[in-house]
Amino acid sequence: MAVKIKEILKKLKIWRSLKVRLFVIIFLVGLLPCFLIKGGILQNYEDRAVAVRQSDVQNQLKIIANHLITYNYLQDTSSEVINAELEQLSNLYNGRVLIINGNLKVVKDTYGISEGKTIISEEVIKCIKGTGMANYDRNNGFIEITTPIVETVSAKMATEEIPEGTELTRGVMLTSVSTDIIVNTMDILNRKALLMEIIMFFCILVIAMVLANILIRPFDRISKAISEIKDGHVDEPISVPDYLETEHIVNAFNSLLNKMKILDDSRQEFVANVSHELKTPITSVKVLADSLLAQKDVPAEVYQEFMEDIAHEIEREDKIINDLLALVKLDKAAAELNINVVNINELAEIILKRLRPIARKNDVELLLVSTREVIAEVDEVKMSLILTNLIENAIKYNKEHGKVTVTLDADHQFFTVEVSDTGIGIPRESIERIYERFYRVDKSHSREIGGTGLGLAITRSAVLLHRGSIKVDSKPGEGSRFLVKIPLIHGAL
Ligand code: ADP
């Protein structure tokens, strides 16, 4: 049953509204005490009224029971006094009194119906034995009371078996009194309470509606503020400090907003950088071509020289575009990794072989130190990119007669590639920025030696895709040391 109700509530769209839930809770919590108080008060009144009436009647019955003995009524029912008393009692309480003698025979019935009959009921027999009792019959609206008619043995009557002072039950008074008055009062009270309940119902309804609206207002403010930001009217951080909860939501949203702003700024900066970088070689090509066109009868050697320069600029443009494409590919999901078991020592040797001519051209010595054999699960193409970029930089930013050492090592979890050089080093203030796209310590020098400013950005993305880390130590004028650390088994961490 409870599960069914839950399912129905889940389907009800309106129940998913916090405002509706608050309203229902406040309404029920407000209404419940009303019902409880009403029920409690009425029940209490009824119990109390019945108890009072019962004790009133019992007191009078006790007095009459004494009179019955005094006037010897059980033997002779002609006593005017007693009959008047009984009549008065039955009129007063709208009830009926039966006087039953010791033989269970009715000697007097104020209704005059059962006189002379014998009554054998549990209550009467119990009462004959000395225990009177009272029962409230709620459904039929009366209280039934049995009162023993007790005679105390006087000195005159006393015998050896029955000493003086013994109480003997001579008969029973079986009385039923109506509780109509109580029922009527209950009816009136009930009607008044119902009226109060209806008034309370509407009051609580209104209070619940107003409260639910007030309590939910901060959340409305948040969604309104978010909509305004979404529509582009404002881009200030939101502030709704009313509740701790709204503060948490707002803080989370503001930090997301901040992140998006940073992302947007860096995207804009990137686009500006890309345009600028791509424009530079094109401008050079245009200048070279224009100056050729402007001259008449240009000698073949000059043509040759200009064309070489143009080819060089086109090559540079091509390199930038290739680097950009590589970076874009690396920025995509990690799923793009094509993992294979690769012998890193062999891979390093191949790369070193490929770079040796450049090293020779720059008069730089290239050395590979394999501390141990390293076999790891990596994407071979991306690992080549990492090694190539680092070693190429170490060669490019070196000095004459410089040296580049590539050291391979591993422990049980990671392998490390250390590329150290004896080159120009990186200034302290630039260390943090060298992984940024298009960042170059010395722009013109880097361009001269064919750098695009994207190499380290590509390297870092590739390392991160392998869940590795990259660090750099550098002393300007003395050299730099790049340390890459990558897990031997992909997905183990
Ligand atoms: P670039 O294509 O200009 O080499 P990178 O992203 O590879 O771009 O490197 C960014 C900058 O970091 C370089 O311009 C250079 O100033 C500096 N840098 C990188 N590696 C080294 C190194 N081994 N020694 C000194 N400077 C370096």
Side-chain angles (χ1 to χ4, degrees):
M1 180 72 177
V3 179
K4 240 183 182 178
I5 292 175
K6 254 188 194 171
E7 265 174 27
I8 293 170
L9 285 178
K10 241 188 209 172
K11 276 185 201 154
L12 268 181
K13 205 175 170 196
I14 197 165
W15 184 242
R16 285 171 46 210
S17 150
L18 180 61
K19 195 193 276 186
V20 171
R21 287 188 188 199
L22 276 175
F23 165 75
V24 171
I25 291 168
I26 298 168
F27 184 61
L28 290 182
V29 168
L31 213 56
L32 204 69
C34 284
F35 284 117
L36 291 179
I37 289 169
K38 176 204 152 194
I41 288 177
L42 286 182
Q43 183 61 48
N44 225 329
Y45 165 76
E46 188 181 11
D47 292 348
R48 183 99 194 99
V50 169
V52 167
R53 175 157 269 245
Q54 198 176 297
S55 85
D56 278 359
V57 176
Q58 270 172 332
N59 285 341
Q60 298 217 26
L61 285 173
K62 266 186 200 149
I63 296 166
I64 295 174
N66 285 338
H67 289 177
L68 291 179
I69 294 294
T70 318
Y71 286 88
N72 202 14
Y73 193 80
L74 291 173
Q75 274 76 44
D76 175 13
T77 58
S78 61
S79 164
E80 292 284 323
V81 181
I82 301 291
N83 283 337
E85 271 181 10
L86 290 173
E87 206 56 44
Q88 195 190 7
L89 183 83
S90 62
N91 285 340
L92 193 62
Y93 293 107
N94 192 14
R96 179 185 184 185
V97 185
L98 297 177
I99 311 283
I100 301 160
N101 68 13
N103 302 324
L104 303 178
K105 201 163 157 200
V106 178
V107 294
K108 174 74 184 171
D109 175 4
T110 50
Y111 280 12
I113 306 167
S114 304
E115 275 165 15
K117 287 185 185 162
T118 305
I119 288 196
I120 306 168
S121 77
E122 200 188 329
E123 286 84 16
V124 172
I125 291 168
K126 265 190 190 158
C127 192
I128 288 272
K129 287 180 182 157
T131 38
M133 56 172 117
N135 277 326
Y136 173 42
D137 185 339
R138 197 168 192 277
N139 294 334
N140 297 314
F142 66 84
I143 307 170
E144 194 177 68
I145 303 166
T146 50
T147 319
I149 304 167
V150 179
E151 182 178 4
T152 311
V153 175
S154 61
K156 230 193 320 170
M157 285 161 66
T159 59
E160 225 163 82
E161 285 110 57
I162 311 163
E164 184 188 348
T166 310
E167 292 195 331
L168 295 172
T169 308
R170 299 289 188 202
V172 171
M173 288 177 81
L174 179 62
T175 318
S176 48
V177 289
S178 160
T179 52
D180 282 354
I181 289 187
I182 298 173
V183 173
N184 287 345
T185 317
M186 289 273 291
D187 268 355
I188 294 165
L189 285 178
N190 237 324
R191 247 174 281 141
K192 282 193 175 160
L194 186 71
L195 191 73
M196 286 296 287
E197 256 171 17
I198 293 170
I199 294 169
M200 288 295 278
F201 179 91
F202 284 109
C203 285
I204 293 166
L205 191 86
V206 173
I207 290 171
M209 258 152 65
V210 172
L211 267 181
N213 255 318
I214 292 174
L215 288 174
I216 220 72
R217 213 166 278 164
F219 291 97
D220 288 342
R221 282 220 307 279
I222 293 180
S223 62
K224 198 171 153 227
I226 292 177
S227 298
E228 277 177 357
I229 288 176
K230 194 185 77 195
D231 297 343
H233 302 317
V234 233
D235 65 349
E236 290 296 301
I238 312 171
S239 165
V240 184
D242 303 47
Y243 305 133
L244 267 181
E245 286 78 3
T246 52
E247 206 174 303
H248 288 162
I249 296 173
V250 163
N251 286 347
F253 179 80
N254 284 340
S255 65
L256 179 75
L257 193 71
N258 205 20
K259 224 175 175 177
M260 277 166 60
K261 261 190 205 159
I262 293 170
L263 220 76
D264 196 46
D265 288 351
S266 86
R267 190 180 55 86
Q268 278 181 12
E269 194 190 314
F270 180 63
V271 171
N273 281 339
V274 169
S275 321
H276 178 75
E277 294 296 328
L278 290 177
K279 227 180 129 197
T280 317
I282 299 276
T283 314
S284 303
V285 169
K286 190 169 165 25
V287 169
L288 287 166
D290 279 352
S291 52
L292 269 185
L293 288 172
Q295 296 174 42
K296 274 182 195 158
D297 305 324
V298 185
E301 310 87 70
V302 178
Y303 247 113
Q304 174 78 21
E305 197 192 321
F306 273 48
M307 285 317 278
E308 268 171 21
D309 286 349
I310 288 175
H312 179 74
E313 290 301 329
I314 291 173
E315 214 173 274
R316 187 172 156 65
E317 183 93 10
D318 187 52
K319 191 167 186 321
I320 297 173
I321 291 171
N322 281 337
D323 276 1
L324 272 173
L325 285 177
L327 197 65
V328 169
K329 268 190 205 159
L330 282 167
D331 273 351
K332 280 195 191 161
E336 304 261 320
L337 277 184
N338 181 15
I339 298 293
N340 278 311
V341 176
V342 178
N343 185 321
I344 306 292
N345 309 68
E346 282 172 12
L347 184 70
E349 257 168 47
I350 295 169
I351 289 165
L352 249 67
K353 202 171 160 191
R354 213 187 293 152
L355 293 175
R356 218 150 244 139
I358 311 173
R360 216 169 291 136
K361 212 172 108 194
N362 286 275
D363 191 15
V364 170
E365 188 191 346
L366 209 52
L367 207 73
L368 175 66
V369 182
S370 292
T371 313
R372 66 188 78 236
E373 190 178 40
V374 180
I375 297 187
E377 288 179 6
V378 292
D379 181 320
E380 194 168 347
V381 177
K382 291 183 178 91
M383 196 63 219
S384 300
L385 267 180
I386 297 171
L387 292 173
T388 310
N389 279 337
L390 290 179
I391 301 169
E392 213 179 318
N393 277 351
I395 298 170
K396 279 193 307 190
Y397 300 104
N398 222 311
K399 295 174 190 160
E400 237 176 277
H401 312 303
K403 191 175 167 187
V404 173
T405 314
V406 181
T407 312
L408 295 181
D409 199 356
D411 58 19
H412 63 289
Q413 259 186 318
F414 297 94
F415 72 91
T416 52
V417 182
E418 187 190 296
V419 180
S420 55
D421 62 62
T422 53
I424 57 171
I426 306 163
R428 264 176 76 101
E429 64 277 10
S430 297
I431 288 269
E432 289 286 308
R433 304 196 57 194
I434 51 170
Y435 301 108
E436 284 175 22
R437 293 172 292 195
F438 295 116
Y439 181 80
R440 280 157 291 192
V441 175
D442 180 346
K443 248 191 178 146
S444 58
H445 175 63
S446 162
R447 200 169 285 150
E448 243 170 60
I449 54 178
T452 59
L454 293 170
L456 283 181
I458 294 172
T459 307
R460 199 175 95 103
S461 294
V463 170
L464 293 183
L465 271 183
H466 283 91
R467 298 186 186 191
S469 62
I470 180 165
K471 274 189 214 154
V472 58
D473 286 332
S474 187
K475 275 200 185 128
E478 282 183 29
S480 315
R481 188 180 75 100
F482 282 84
L483 184 74
V484 171
K485 195 172 172 188
I486 289 176
L488 285 168
I489 298 169
H490 183 73
L493 290 177

